[in-house]
Amino acid sequence: MHKIGIDLGSSYTKGVIVNKKNEILDFYAVRTGFDFNKAATKILDKFSENYKFSSPVFTCGYGREQLNIPFIANSEIIALAKAVYHIYKCKCSVIDIGGQDTKYIKITDNGQVDKFKMNRKCAAGTGSFIEEIAFRLDITAKEFNQFAEEATEVFQINSFCTVFAVSEIIGRIKQGTSIQNLILGIYNSVIDRCIELSIIEDKLIITGGIPDSHPKIVKLFRDKFPSAESPEKSQFLAAFGCVLLNS
């Protein structure tokens, strides 16, 4: 019988359905909203259209214990590390860019979590920082990424706070600074906040919704860390790790 892992994040809820060989058969994500149970139910309803699966489901994330269905809750940090090690099978560092926080995880050569750190002080360096600026500029993630690809130079964003950064960007646009160069500066600002979490000494793996929808940011990480990679559909890795931990 197939198993389901669900990562109930602050912004999005991500689910995967996995077979007996620990292969992902399908994945699905929805906006979390205010009701974690409702978000998880949408995931289950989607999978039930094509698959049969066992109970309980395996959860992690902010809403991992907020369900009205049988579940086994897991640590998001350990689940993500489990999935990353399952793919790469080596010592590495992980930077996970989430909606409300950014996580740094150091994984040992036998797959254990050596240390981790989270940035929760403000939105800078998180997905919400990029999403809020994109919303204010009325551009999609695809357009945001394309503008950065077209940049000719990096404009330094001085404001770390989202509110002040938006004001700074709008002011600079009025002064004639290109939107392309500004957006490249936003990406670099996010990267700077991420790498402040820890010294990166090992192979770097970037995960989360931001590298999935903003591939340019992975390229910029690679400029600083040539070994940097981001696996396909990386925002689903924690959900996948929940299943791996219970296999």
Side-chain angles (χ1 to χ4, degrees):
M1 189 74 74
H2 304 322
K3 296 180 180 180
I4 288 181
I6 303 178
D7 175 10
L8 295 111
S10 58
S11 298
Y12 285 88
T13 292
K14 291 82 66 178
V16 297
I17 186 162
V18 180
N19 66 16
K20 291 181 179 180
K21 296 180 180 179
N22 284 333
E23 299 168 331
I24 297 176
L25 300 176
D26 206 352
F27 45 82
Y28 189 57
V30 298
R31 281 276 188 182
T32 298
F34 65 89
D35 189 333
F36 287 109
N37 189 69
K38 183 177 180 180
T41 299
K42 289 180 180 178
I43 299 287
L44 297 178
D45 288 346
K46 179 66 174 180
F47 288 150
S48 66
E49 294 175 2
N50 298 302
Y51 305 97
K52 292 183 178 180
F53 47 84
S54 61
S55 180
V57 299
F58 305 103
T59 64
C60 69
Y62 287 104
R64 62 186 177 276
E65 297 182 339
Q66 305 299 314
L67 305 186
N68 296 331
I69 56 175
F71 66 88
I72 294 177
N74 301 266
S75 160
E76 182 182 359
I77 300 295
I78 295 175
L80 180 56
K82 182 73 172 180
V84 169
Y85 189 78
H86 178 80
I87 296 171
Y88 292 98
K89 295 179 174 59
C90 68
K91 179 171 65 173
C92 60
S93 294
V94 179
I95 289 179
D96 181 69
I97 308 175
Q100 298 297 325
D101 59 39
T102 298
K103 307 175 188 70
Y104 165 80
I105 309 170
K106 185 172 183 178
I107 303 174
T108 66
D109 54 11
N110 64 353
Q112 301 301 306
V113 174
D114 182 40
K115 64 179 180 179
F116 73 91
K117 189 174 182 181
M118 300 177 69
N119 170 28
R120 286 180 170 173
K121 292 182 179 179
C122 68
T126 70
S128 61
F129 180 71
I130 291 176
E131 288 185 353
E132 176 63 21
I133 292 173
F135 174 77
R136 292 291 299 274
L137 297 178
D138 193 25
I139 56 178
T140 65
K142 185 176 181 179
E143 291 169 331
F144 203 99
N145 189 80
Q146 185 58 41
F147 280 144
E149 291 281 10
E150 296 169 355
T152 56
E153 60 181 303
V154 178
F155 181 86
Q156 182 69 39
I157 304 297
N158 296 315
S159 302
F160 295 157
C161 171
T162 303
V163 175
F164 293 139
V166 170
S167 298
E168 179 183 356
I169 290 163
I170 292 174
R172 291 295 181 177
I173 291 173
K174 290 180 179 178
Q175 294 173 13
T177 305
S178 80
I179 185 67
Q180 289 86 350
N181 293 346
L182 284 168
I183 287 179
L184 184 60
I186 292 165
Y187 278 158
N188 276 285
S189 177
V190 169
I191 291 172
D192 288 344
R193 301 290 78 72
C194 289
I195 62 179
E196 283 177 354
L197 290 172
S198 182
I199 296 173
I200 309 296
E201 298 175 325
D202 309 311
K203 181 179 181 64
L204 177 61
I205 310 300
I206 307 120
T207 65
I210 291 301
D212 282 353
S213 55
H214 298 262
K216 176 64 175 179
I217 208 166
V218 179
K219 295 180 183 178
L220 295 172
F221 266 110
R222 199 172 291 130
D223 288 342
K224 297 177 181 290
F225 306 98
S227 68
E229 292 187 39
S230 182
E232 187 177 1
K233 304 295 182 183
S234 67
Q235 64 181 312
F236 295 94
L237 285 184
F240 181 39
C242 288
V243 175
L244 295 175
L245 287 171
N246 292 277
S247 296

